[in-house]
Amino acid sequence: MSFAQSYGQEVTGTWKGKLSVQGAEIPLAFHIEKTNGALAATMDSPSQGATGIPMDTALFENNQLTLALKQAGVKYVATVDAKKLTGTFYQGGMELPLEMEKSEKTIPGNPELVTTDAALVELGNLDKGDYKYSVEDYFAKPKARTFRFSPNGKYLSYREKDDNKKNHVYVKEIATNKVTRVIEEKEELIRGYGWANNNRLVYVMDKGGNEDYHLFAANIDGSDQKELTPFEGVQVNILEGLKEDEDHMIISMNKNNKQIFEPYKINIITGEIKQLFKNEDAANPIAGYNFDKDGNLRGYAKIRDGVNFDLYYAKEEGKYEIIKQLNWKDTFSILRFDYATDNPHDAYVVSNLESDKSQIYLYDLKADKVIKKIFSNDKYDVSSLSVSKKRGYELDYFSYEGEKSVIVPVSDYYKKLHAKITTKFPDHQYSIADKTDEEDKYLIFLQSDKLYGVYYSYDNKTGEFKLLYNLMPQLKEKDMAEMRPITFTSRDGLTIHGYITLPKEALQGKKVPLIVNPHGGPQGIRDSWGFNPEAQLFASRGYATLQVNFRISGGYGRKFLESGFKEIGRKAMDDVEDGLKYVIDQGWVNKDKVAIYGGSHGGYAVLRGLTKTPDLYTCGVDYVGVSNLFTFMKTIPPYWKPYLKIIKEIWYDEDVAEEKAIMEEVSPVYQIDKIKKPLFVVQGANDPRVNIDESDQIVKALRDKGFDVPYMVRYDEGHGFGKEENSIEMYKAMMGFYAKHLNNKKTTKPVKG
């Protein structure tokens, strides 16, 4: 924030204009205010769902306004004339003319619907009791996390939280214990980071949760920090880190067309970018690329007619031909090429073309034939394996998820390592969080239903395990609740799996209140066994939690997945209700004290549950949930549009009269009159998947009926809250809401806003 000196023109207020970039118009807005003689400014990019981005420079001198955001490489310099700004917008080497006019400030959605912070705090204060653990104990981010070795093992990187809840990236030199803060987290969250090579780290950030991820890089001493992809409205995905070419990575971006992604080779030092392949058929775009370890494009999957995929493969270098024609429901994908054989066309693939469950095969892509089936499971899909580059790409293990995570050792080397780990840490799940290129050091991550997570280092030379870091030392395993796998039969005969987390009161024979928690997605997603902070918080207050892997959940085979197509809000909800009946019949829960809570599709399931079976639930909490299937389909991000036909096959197609009628039936906004029970709604204003209008619609409709509906909106969040302070505030209000409606505690006044 810089001090301003005014020369006859007024710059405070809201200014709006449009950038013209490659024929596309991108609306922008700047909001400028003065406090104690200093200017402060924020920027909105409405087309990208980003609002309130703080500028770190706001300077007005000699009738020239300068606004800048150094981290994003953005600057705007303009002269002021009455109600007009005339100037140049600079970003990523571009200089674009930009005129802006004085306007009124607008923010996403209807702010008049939003409940005040004071009212939400009062609601949260109802969660009072002799509790050993607070909301912060479960949802404050760990002091340190995401530990990683440099490839050569000389350094250990991690994220560490400061007093302002910013999670910076540090690098520790193992030999000297010297620690350097390499990446500073400012207003925008660092969404992920990793080692690109022994000297350089890469990380990704978006703006306010809009999911337009940009790629950044920094040296291990913090120098030469650079935004590598400074393209407004463009999303970056990392496709390959190249071990054989340590200064480059392969990424994909929707830079040329917002609806489709193309691959690029990027120099992580200079930022130089080279496009590797063109994805020019927007009607039938490429949906996935297969590169080998040397960065060569070996194959790609291309959409055909919106619902089919053609798998292209280069039997000869640079000459791609179709080897498989698949329906989108088919699974056939390359996990990795097999560099342990003499045939360069051998690969590990996962496929369900010959079976209901996905299986792993060794496959000759040039001959288009199976060499042999190498791993399968009768009950669950399998799709994961690990090989050792150090040992000539020897196959080490398979893994899959059943009731719990399962690792199946293959190589003699890994059988010995697996035995050491499981003997040392029985009754816990483990994963290899990282290992050095020489396999002399390992990071072992341990977890269970009662343990949030602990890192151990393992020295392969000495055979010694050392405790590195306990992520949540304040949460004692002996105090945590048991998460128990359950299996039951649906009303139409399907076997359904799930989990029940039981507080100690339930184990002592008391029938406790229950929170039903349907998962998001919904297709291909599933709930898993392990530490669940939400379920543990609920258990600490005496509530059980039910999680049902209803039909359409992933991991249980193709038939089970497809049995949920066109059944969202119908048979998928029946499965949730049948799971509720099952746990009531077991004598664990009080059938008259049942809440339903979920996020994304789970939020939709909350609204659908309160309209489909209005007498079943006591109350509901809708977190970024869909309320109107029609508007949901119309507000999807542009890069989802190539998959719209597939989305319609999973959900519903309003162009089919019968399905349009179903959409009206299962869209909660059209069934408001059926809601009888209290509802709490939570939304991120910049959500690119579930537009804020989805939540506004349901809140307004219920408010118009006279319902008391708390509504929490955060204007610096997207599809789910990423900022610690916002999450904690949400869970505090949520626990107060449960206390009010499951434990009959009262506020002094209605919680509207």
Side-chain angles (χ1 to χ4, degrees), residues 364-379:
D364 185 329
L365 292 165
K366 184 175 183 178
D368 190 19
K369 69 175 185 180
V370 172
I371 299 171
K372 62 179 177 178
K373 181 169 72 174
I374 57 174
F375 189 65
S376 63
N377 185 278
D378 292 340
K379 294 182 179 180

Side-chain angles (χ1 to χ4, degrees), residues 481 501-505 534-545:
T501 301
L502 296 168
K504 61 181 183 297
E505 295 90 343
E534 289 181 336
Q536 292 295 340
L537 171 63
F538 300 160
S540 74
R541 271 52 175 172
Y543 312 134
T545 301

Side-chain angles (χ1 to χ4, degrees), residues 311 324-327 329-336 347-363 365 368-377 380-385 557-558:
L311 181 60
K324 293 285 184 191
Q325 290 190 301
L326 307 167
N327 182 267
K329 300 172 188 175
D330 297 327
T331 296
F332 185 92
S333 59
I334 299 169
L335 292 175
R336 61 183 306 133
Y348 298 108
V349 304
V350 59
S351 172
N352 67 1
L353 299 183
E354 305 297 329
S355 58
D356 176 61
K357 309 295 188 291
S358 294
Q359 303 177 336
I360 300 177
Y361 297 86
L362 191 59
Y363 202 88
L365 292 165
D368 190 19
K369 69 175 185 180
V370 172
I371 299 171
K372 62 179 177 178
K373 181 169 72 174
I374 57 174
F375 189 65
S376 63
N377 185 278
Y380 305 103
D381 293 324
V382 299
S383 62
S384 297
L385 57 80
R558 177 173 179 167

Side-chain angles (χ1 to χ4, degrees), residues 14-21 24-31 42-53 55 67 74-76 85 88-91 94 96-106 207 210 232-233:
T14 292
W15 302 86
K16 291 186 178 181
K18 291 183 179 179
L19 281 174
S20 180
V21 183
E25 288 193 334
I26 301 174
L28 287 180
F30 289 108
H31 311 291
T42 61
M43 180 175 69
D44 296 346
S45 180
S47 64
Q48 306 306 318
T51 61
I53 304 165
M55 309 300 286
L67 304 174
V74 168
K75 184 168 74 169
Y76 180 50
L85 299 178
T88 303
F89 187 87
Y90 302 86
Q91 185 176 24
M94 296 186 294
L96 304 169
L98 176 61
E99 289 190 354
M100 309 194 84
E101 294 185 351
K102 204 72 172 283
S103 183
E104 295 296 322
K105 182 174 181 178
T106 59
K207 293 180 181 178
N210 68 354
E232 187 69 26

Side-chain angles (χ1 to χ4, degrees), residues 77-349:
V77 180
T79 57
V80 185
D81 179 18
K83 292 187 178 293
K84 192 178 202 179
L85 299 178
T86 304
T88 303
F89 187 87
Y90 302 86
Q91 185 176 24
M94 296 186 294
E95 298 183 14
L96 304 169
L98 176 61
E99 289 190 354
M100 309 194 84
E101 294 185 351
K102 204 72 172 283
S103 183
E104 295 296 322
K105 182 174 181 178
T106 59
I107 58 176
N110 181 358
E112 294 182 2
L113 294 173
V114 179
T115 301
T116 65
D117 289 346
L120 290 172
V121 168
E122 182 177 359
L123 179 63
N125 287 338
L126 295 180
D127 179 41
K128 297 296 184 185
D130 185 19
Y131 303 132
K132 188 169 185 178
Y133 298 104
S134 68
V135 170
E136 285 87 350
D137 287 327
Y138 295 98
F139 288 99
K141 290 180 180 177
K143 177 65 176 173
R145 58 192 169 100
T146 322
F147 291 83
R148 296 288 183 266
F149 283 128
S150 61
N152 59 15
K154 292 182 179 180
Y155 300 94
L156 180 70
S157 65
Y158 55 93
R159 299 190 67 179
E160 185 171 298
K161 183 173 63 175
D162 67 16
D163 292 339
N164 295 317
K165 298 182 173 60
K166 298 298 182 183
N167 292 269
H168 314 297
V169 177
Y170 292 82
V171 168
K172 177 181 179 180
E173 187 175 18
I174 294 174
T176 65
N177 287 327
K178 179 185 176 183
V179 174
T180 303
R181 187 168 78 179
V182 176
I183 305 166
E184 181 183 3
E185 183 175 81
K186 297 181 180 178
E187 183 64 26
E188 298 299 343
L189 299 180
I190 297 169
R191 299 289 180 174
Y193 89 95
W195 288 89
N197 56 42
N198 286 312
N199 302 304
R200 200 149 170 82
L201 294 163
V202 293
Y203 58 104
V204 293
M205 297 191 300
D206 66 354
K207 293 180 181 178
N210 68 354
E211 300 184 12
D212 283 337
Y213 302 111
H214 287 204
L215 184 65
F216 301 77
N219 289 337
I220 57 174
D221 62 358
S223 65
D224 195 22
Q225 299 230 6
K226 185 171 295 184
E227 180 176 3
L228 301 175
T229 58
F231 310 114
E232 187 69 26
V234 173
Q235 186 186 86
V236 174
N237 298 294
I238 297 174
L239 299 183
E240 292 287 339
L242 300 175
K243 283 284 189 182
E244 313 298 325
D245 182 3
E246 63 177 20
D247 289 343
H248 291 88
M249 303 181 78
I250 295 175
I251 63 173
S252 69
M253 293 189 289
N254 57 342
K255 184 171 177 285
N256 297 322
N257 184 327
K258 296 296 183 288
Q259 294 188 28
I260 56 181
F261 289 82
E262 296 173 302
Y264 298 80
K265 189 173 186 178
I266 187 165
N267 187 305
I268 60 168
I269 299 170
T270 67
E272 180 184 0
I273 297 175
K274 177 184 177 182
Q275 187 167 342
L276 298 177
F277 203 73
K278 291 186 177 180
N279 190 2
E280 296 179 306
D281 185 359
N284 298 286
I286 297 170
Y289 300 90
N290 294 107
F291 288 88
D292 64 19
K293 64 182 177 64
D294 298 310
N296 301 309
L297 180 62
R298 301 283 295 279
Y300 55 86
K302 195 170 189 290
I303 298 176
R304 174 170 39 84
D305 302 326
V307 291
N308 297 303
F309 286 85
D310 294 332
L311 181 60
Y312 287 76
Y313 180 72
K315 294 183 179 181
E316 297 180 30
E317 186 176 349
K319 296 180 180 179
Y320 302 96
E321 57 184 276
I322 296 174
I323 62 169
K324 293 285 184 191
Q325 290 190 301
L326 307 167
N327 182 267
W328 72 271
K329 300 172 188 175
D330 297 327
T331 296
F332 185 92
S333 59
I334 299 169
L335 292 175
R336 61 183 306 133
F337 293 96
D338 182 10
Y339 303 114
T341 73
D342 295 329
N343 182 4
H345 302 286
D346 286 358
Y348 298 108
V349 304

Side-chain angles (χ1 to χ4, degrees), residues 286-288 303 306 309 639-648:
I286 297 170
I303 298 176
F309 286 85
Y639 44 84
W640 282 19
K641 287 192 172 140
Y643 307 98
L644 186 57
K645 284 188 178 180
I646 294 173
I647 293 171
K648 287 181 177 181

